[in-house]
Amino acid sequence: MSRSATILSIAADLDSGRTTSLALTEAALARIEDPDGEGRRAFTRVDREAALAQARASDLLRSHGVVPSPLAGVPVSIKDLFDIKGQVTTAGSVVLEDAPPAERDAPVVARLRAAGAVVVGRTNMTEFAYSGLGLNPHHGCPGNPVDRARVPGGSSSGGAVSVTDGMAAAAIGSDTGGSVRIPAAFCRLVGFKPSQKRVCRRGVLPLSSSLDSVGPIGRSVACCAILDGVLTGAAFVATEPAELPGLRLGLPKSYVLEGLDRTVAAAFEDAVRRVERGHAYVHDLPLPQVDRIPDLNGKGGLTAAEAYAWHRDLLSRHGERYDPRVRVRIERGAEQSAADYIDLLHARAALSAEVEAATDRFDALLTPTVAIVPPRFDDLVDDVAYAHINNMVLRNTSVWNFIDRPAVSIPCASGGLPVGLMIIGRRNDDRRLLAIARALERLVD
């Protein structure tokens, strides 16, 4: 399996007999187990024998003409947040090691299996998914494929590296404030955060029930569209690219376009110019409503409140075993009263309605996925610097979780470190967003 292969190209190779699922899976496992590679940091568990058995079964079914989807026989990784029957879901932590194993697969995992995917293992992540950087003091953190001295982004860190390093063709992650899109942007991949209710979250350990979503990381928008079809039970199609001429794309004038790293700013400006040359209409869009979000989240926001409600018993018994940088963020939820939480829910609903009205005439919005390039591990040793950089990394992506809009991050040409272009669609119009992203993907990278 080539490290640049897409699901569609792999499916074509399988159909033609140029490769087999067993060969693909053996190659993926060899890369995971390479002592000089990132596998031991990218995965918390590798299901070698089960993956090989799935691959052999897939090859046998294919030989009899049974190919349930383009994902059949393709190695896929699963974030350590999803229930897999017989395994403990630890969410990148040591706190849950003694928890009972899952009695059944999460629906997301069950749908992947039904589509014929080969699950190679569980990928590493920021503990309990509560950071955009990917650091994990319990299992380590895989290095960024572009520069191993830099972070891969989080919280779905292992998932992104599993794809870039050929350990899987695609990865399934979660996105509460950017945890799919950030590592995709940092690792020159595509990441898709769907509208929240699009993908079932049963059997997925929660961070914030109001904000959590489940989405894929792949090498192309078509990969993510196929995975979206599998995860939602819809058609397993790549989605045709939208027609660019006449598309109305907005640039939201708010803090999401401010304070950009020089590399990010230059790459974003170049991407916008390329889109304009494709005859799409790109217009500035004053969006001051977004600028109210930091104040609304001043006490830790919905994530802290809902995470604290889930973790408070565990914290009282095992708080010393948590990553201190995760624990301090969760404990901010204790600062909020019930009235604070209810006020925030009402404010979120009102703000979402305002933004929907303000953006109604646009097919999609464009922003940089992350305001800065991937930081170096050395930059994150100090807790104060870590907190500042983490907030900056999450800044642009978290807006669209708060407003519940689907968003795709695609790589854009930067001439250096990776930069992502984020395309934000209309709520519950996810397939249209993927079609627009496919059209822009061909222009900007």
Side-chain angles (χ1 to χ4, degrees):
M1 179 171 63
S2 164
R3 297 189 188 196
S4 60
T6 66
I7 290 173
L8 287 176
S9 69
I10 293 170
D13 287 345
L14 287 166
D15 284 341
S16 69
R18 288 189 293 269
T19 191
T20 64
S21 178
L22 182 60
L24 294 171
T25 303
E26 287 176 336
L29 291 168
R31 285 173 178 150
I32 294 171
E33 294 162 358
D34 181 355
D36 296 324
E38 298 295 314
R40 64 188 181 279
R41 287 178 289 272
F43 283 80
T44 58
R45 173 174 174 145
V46 180
D47 294 326
R48 168 175 254 280
E49 295 310 316
L52 292 172
Q54 292 170 60
R56 293 187 185 100
S58 180
D59 287 335
L60 180 60
L61 288 169
R62 188 180 293 272
S63 71
H64 291 279
V66 181
V67 183
S69 84
L71 208 56
V74 177
V76 174
S77 68
I78 308 289
K79 189 175 183 177
D80 188 22
L81 204 66
F82 295 79
D83 284 350
I84 296 177
K85 184 179 179 179
Q87 299 181 11
V88 176
T89 303
T90 63
S93 181
V94 296
V95 177
L96 298 176
E97 286 178 334
D98 297 328
E103 295 182 358
R104 61 185 61 84
D105 286 343
V108 162
V109 177
R111 284 179 170 173
L112 288 167
R113 293 196 195 281
V118 175
V119 178
V120 293
R122 309 174 73 99
T123 51
N124 195 10
M125 53 184 284
T126 305
E127 184 182 54
F128 296 116
Y130 211 170
S131 164
L133 296 169
L135 303 190
N136 186 305
H138 312 299
H139 305 294
C141 179
N144 189 298
V146 176
D147 178 355
R148 299 297 187 191
R150 295 179 183 271
V151 302
S155 63
S156 307
S157 51
V161 174
S162 77
V163 177
T164 60
D165 287 21
M167 305 175 203
I172 304 301
S174 66
D175 192 311
T176 305
S179 290
V180 160
R181 290 160 291 158
I182 293 166
F186 277 1
C187 295
R188 285 201 178 118
L189 296 169
V190 177
F192 172 46
K193 182 206 86 70
S195 302
Q196 192 198 29
K197 292 182 179 179
R198 185 169 178 80
V199 180
C200 178
R201 289 173 290 138
R202 195 166 68 251
V204 185
L205 197 146
L207 175 59
S208 168
S209 58
S210 294
L211 305 175
D212 293 342
S213 59
V214 173
I217 299 173
R219 297 191 179 106
S220 70
V221 176
C223 291
C224 289
I226 290 168
L227 285 160
D228 174 72
V230 170
L231 298 181
T232 59
F236 308 141
V237 295
T239 303
E240 290 300 313
E243 293 292 329
L244 273 174
L247 272 183
R248 297 159 299 170
L249 305 174
L251 303 181
K253 293 299 181 178
S254 65
Y255 67 78
V256 298
L257 297 182
E258 296 174 357
L260 304 178
D261 172 276
R262 187 178 307 170
T263 300
V264 174
F268 181 65
E269 290 173 7
D270 179 61
V272 170
R273 285 195 296 268
R274 293 180 186 216
V275 171
E276 289 176 322
R277 288 199 294 269
H279 303 292
Y281 296 110
V282 182
H283 298 280
D284 288 347
L285 167 65
L287 205 60
Q289 296 90 339
V290 166
D291 293 329
R292 303 207 305 265
I293 293 177
D295 286 340
L296 291 175
N297 288 327
K299 293 185 178 181
L302 295 170
T303 306
E306 293 172 350
Y308 181 71
W310 195 93
H311 283 273
R312 58 186 170 178
D313 180 58
L314 275 174
L315 284 168
S316 68
R317 292 184 288 116
H318 303 296
E320 75 286 349
R321 302 186 72 195
Y322 277 68
D323 176 350
R325 288 170 165 175
V326 169
R327 177 179 176 176
V328 71
R329 298 188 77 198
I330 294 173
E331 288 179 335
R332 289 206 65 195
E335 302 171 14
Q336 297 184 47
S337 67
D340 290 331
Y341 178 71
I342 292 169
D343 285 346
L344 183 53
L345 289 174
H346 290 162
R348 180 196 186 199
L351 181 67
S352 297
E354 288 181 41
V355 173
E356 189 165 340
T359 60
D360 185 60
R361 68 185 187 277
F362 292 95
D363 295 293
L365 309 178
L366 304 178
T367 77
T369 307
V370 186
I372 61 175
V373 296
R376 296 176 58 86
F377 286 102
D378 291 349
D379 297 334
L380 305 170
V381 175
D382 177 75
D383 284 347
V384 174
Y386 170 91
H388 170 73
I389 294 171
N390 186 49
N391 286 339
M392 198 64 177
V393 165
L394 286 162
R395 187 192 74 178
N396 284 13
T397 51
S398 61
V399 168
W400 312 107
N401 296 81
F402 191 80
I403 298 173
D404 189 18
R405 300 283 284 269
V408 179
S409 178
I410 62 175
C412 60
S414 65
L417 291 168
V419 174
L421 174 69
M422 185 161 53
I423 309 153
I424 303 102
R426 296 172 175 171
R427 185 184 308 166
N428 299 324
D429 202 3
D430 297 56
R431 297 303 285 191
R432 173 63 172 164
L433 169 63
L434 288 165
I436 293 170
R438 281 206 75 184
L440 300 188
E441 177 183 43
R442 299 182 298 181
L443 290 177
V444 303
D445 189 15

